[in-house]
Amino acid sequence: MDTTTRKLILALVLLAPALPLRAQTDPDVIWKGDFDDGASSLTGHCNAGDNQWCKTQATRAQQIQVVADPLAQGRYAARFEVKFGDIFSYYSDSRSLVTGPPALWENEGNERWYRWQALWPAGWVGSYPKWDQLSTPAARSNAGSLVVWHHDANGGVEHGSAPLYMGADDDNIWLCLVGQATSTCRENLKLAPLQRSHWHDFILHAKWSPDASVGFLEMWIDGVNVLPKHFASNMYPGMRNYLIVGLYRNGRIGDPNLLYPNGTHVYGSDGAPGVAYLDGFIIGKTQQSVLAERPWGPSPADAGPTPAPGPQAPDVDGGTPPANTGLAGIGYPSGCTSVGSSIAWLALPLLAFAFLRCRTRRG
């Protein structure tokens, strides 16, 4: 190997770390729960610093599944199903939920950025007859929340409704801020029209406080600022908030024994199952950390088949999927530059090796 070749290889090696390479994990990213570890994403990640989820609240294997289709990003998403009788432990109402590690707990004064994707399929029913007002057709119960910030009750058993719920009815995506004294929505905000079988992309900026002059929320859905900075109390005094996701709805929905005043059944015998999907959860300290952490949008066409996820076993301790709809074209970075730079520096040793072979053959 002559002196010129040695100098070229040394220059390439020294150059590699200096190329514009985005770190795989932005230092301002606090936590990721994108379900991309497959079935193991759902449980066991309960320690400080863990990504993915800690425990499930489900009793049937079908309630919470990791699926390869539909996807918003990555390898897998989560499918949540709830129907009448899906009661977990001593908790209230019907639920198919997952909770996360300590990074998801929010103290008063925390300011955070959140991003996730949600899809309500074509068959989504967004409201049902209200069980205690069956003589009034206009009285409806919503079909349940999908993303919730709950309260910790100072380490005791939780009572009452959580401070913040988000979900979708028949027509709109909504956000409910709860009054602690009444456990009902003191503000019910319509955020955006619901598009079934579409991956809605959410970004939430929150400062958590029980003081309405300090706490605020602002939100983007599919790149549109649907909630300009909205000052409001968004946690209860002396308590922390924590993120919990999945379908949660009134336990009377789907009750096969529920009757209208004329004696006819309100529901059939299938429990009125509801299904929704979630993907791509990320929490960061800055807007940039949740926008640019990784590429978004549909997987490349030549990516090859995605391995099937493993068996879905519920953690008792703790319809037909719609077509895949990506997130391309909504105004967020595609991430291609980041991926390109990663591949570029990894390729430098190969270039050096090829150059060396060429020099050897000529010699």
Side-chain angles (χ1 to χ4, degrees):
M1 184 186 301
D2 60 30
T3 302
T4 301
T5 303
R6 289 193 184 96
K7 287 181 178 179
L8 176 60
I9 294 173
L10 178 61
L12 289 171
V13 171
L14 293 174
L15 177 62
L19 288 174
L21 171 65
R22 186 186 304 280
Q24 188 174 11
T25 300
D26 188 302
D28 287 328
V29 170
I30 296 170
W31 172 84
K32 290 186 287 186
D34 55 16
F35 306 104
D36 278 357
D37 291 344
S40 66
S41 302
L42 299 176
T43 60
H45 308 280
C46 304
N47 298 316
D50 285 355
N51 287 314
Q52 304 299 350
W53 303 88
C54 176
K55 291 186 177 181
T56 64
Q57 296 179 13
T59 56
R60 295 184 295 114
Q62 295 80 10
Q63 286 184 253
I64 306 173
Q65 300 179 55
V66 174
V67 297
D69 182 49
L71 292 177
Q73 60 81 47
R75 301 173 63 215
Y76 301 119
R79 178 187 186 272
F80 295 89
E81 176 185 298
V82 67
K83 64 181 183 180
F84 179 74
D86 287 337
I87 307 297
F88 174 75
S89 188
Y90 55 84
Y91 291 110
S92 63
D93 290 327
S94 300
R95 57 181 62 212
S96 298
L97 303 174
V98 292
T99 59
L104 276 65
W105 288 91
E106 303 294 4
N107 295 311
E108 181 177 350
N110 282 3
E111 187 172 344
R112 298 286 186 258
W113 289 82
Y114 307 86
R115 190 177 187 181
W116 71 93
Q117 289 75 51
L119 182 147
W120 290 267
W124 172 256
V125 177
S127 68
Y128 293 92
K130 198 166 188 312
W131 68 274
D132 57 351
Q133 299 181 43
L134 293 175
S135 60
T136 307
R140 309 289 290 180
S141 290
N142 71 59
S145 61
L146 194 57
V147 176
V148 176
W149 274 270
H150 218 296
H151 57 298
D152 71 346
N154 296 308
V157 177
E158 300 156 7
H159 294 285
S161 297
L164 192 158
Y165 294 84
M166 293 184 62
D169 58 26
D170 292 307
D171 303 305
N172 296 287
I173 299 169
W174 51 262
L175 183 152
C176 164
L177 286 169
V178 173
Q180 184 179 13
T182 62
S183 285
T184 59
C185 297
R186 68 172 196 277
E187 290 189 81
N188 200 341
L189 307 173
K190 292 183 179 180
L191 299 175
L194 173 65
Q195 299 178 54
R196 290 171 173 81
S197 297
H198 165 75
W199 279 108
H200 287 285
D201 183 26
F202 293 78
I203 292 179
L204 172 67
H205 181 204
K207 184 168 185 178
W208 300 107
S209 177
D211 186 336
S213 67
V214 176
F216 66 77
L217 304 167
E218 57 181 335
M219 178 167 284
W220 292 258
I221 298 179
D222 295 340
V224 177
N225 184 203
V226 298
L227 184 65
K229 187 174 285 187
H230 180 76
F231 281 89
S233 169
N234 51 29
M235 67 191 314
Y236 299 148
M239 301 186 187
R240 297 181 299 172
N241 281 358
Y242 68 92
L243 177 65
I244 183 167
V245 306
L247 282 171
Y248 171 72
R249 73 183 191 187
N250 188 289
R252 301 280 189 146
I253 294 173
D255 183 351
N257 299 311
L258 200 60
L259 303 176
Y260 284 112
N262 64 5
T264 61
H265 287 271
V266 176
Y267 299 103
S269 58
D270 65 351
V275 172
Y277 297 83
L278 287 167
D279 200 359
F281 273 92
I282 186 168
I283 302 175
K285 298 177 183 178
T286 65
Q287 182 185 46
Q288 185 63 21
S289 67
V290 301
L291 280 175
E293 166 65 12
R294 57 179 178 260
W296 297 93
S299 300
D302 60 352
T306 303
Q312 313 297 311
D315 176 12
V316 295
D317 294 326
T320 301
N324 186 8
T325 305
L327 298 173
I330 63 173
Y332 294 137
S334 67
C336 294
T337 302
S338 171
V339 174
S341 62
S342 302
I343 294 173
W345 82 264
L346 290 170
L348 287 173
L350 297 177
L351 292 172
F353 177 71
F355 180 84
L356 177 60
R357 289 190 63 188
C358 181
R359 296 277 299 185
T360 302
R361 287 175 179 173
R362 288 179 181 177

